[in-house]
Amino acid sequence: KIPVTAKEGLRKAANAVRKDARANTPDSGVQHKSKLKKKYGVKIIDEGLNMKAMVYNSAPHFHLVEQGHVLIINGKNCGFVEGKHFFEQTVDRYEDKFPEIIKEMVERNINNF
């Protein structure tokens, strides 16, 4: 019973990270099919006793906005565009919260036995 509830708890915690990351993601104001806010996903990797939650963004330009990039216009280097680091900041905020969320979920499920 615990592995099933642990997986559900891990998914809920990862979804909270995804929701917060969406809220912190900058918006270009232009409508297109690869909007950063719409391309977040959660994947639970279950390897027996090791479970991992992966929050990712599948937009092809995500890493450019997150980490920065060289700006080239008409073949000329026009400088470096600093990264926004919005996803990194979200993950840093949840670094302390995540163990508490999981601990609360485990305690709640142990009391239900």
Side-chain angles (χ1 to χ4, degrees):
K1 192 171 181 179
I2 284 288
V4 172
T5 56
K7 194 171 186 176
E8 291 170 2
L10 192 60
R11 179 170 296 281
K12 284 182 183 178
N15 283 337
V17 172
R18 179 179 69 173
K19 182 179 178 182
D20 197 20
R22 277 186 180 159
N24 295 331
T25 301
D27 190 3
S28 64
V30 178
Q31 194 65 0
H32 54 86
K33 66 179 182 177
S34 292
K35 299 279 291 182
L36 290 176
K37 288 186 181 221
K38 294 182 179 182
K39 293 293 187 171
Y40 280 103
V42 172
K43 184 174 185 178
I44 303 298
I45 301 167
D46 188 1
E47 300 170 343
L49 295 176
N50 291 331
M51 278 191 252
K52 301 172 193 170
M54 184 171 71
V55 179
Y56 62 91
N57 192 306
S58 62
H61 61 293
F62 172 76
H63 67 286
L64 299 172
V65 178
E66 174 70 14
Q67 298 171 354
H69 58 91
V70 175
L71 182 64
I72 297 177
I73 299 175
N74 294 331
K76 293 184 182 179
N77 186 342
C78 296
F80 186 78
V81 178
E82 285 292 323
K84 304 286 185 191
H85 303 287
F86 51 89
F87 189 70
E88 181 181 336
Q89 292 168 358
T90 302
V91 170
D92 288 344
R93 275 198 302 275
Y94 273 87
E95 199 167 336
D96 295 331
K97 293 180 188 178
F98 206 77
E100 293 173 10
I101 293 169
I102 298 299
K103 182 180 177 184
E104 178 184 308
M105 181 268 312
V106 169
E107 289 175 351
R108 191 173 346 116
N109 289 318
I110 287 177
N111 292 334
N112 290 338
F113 280 121

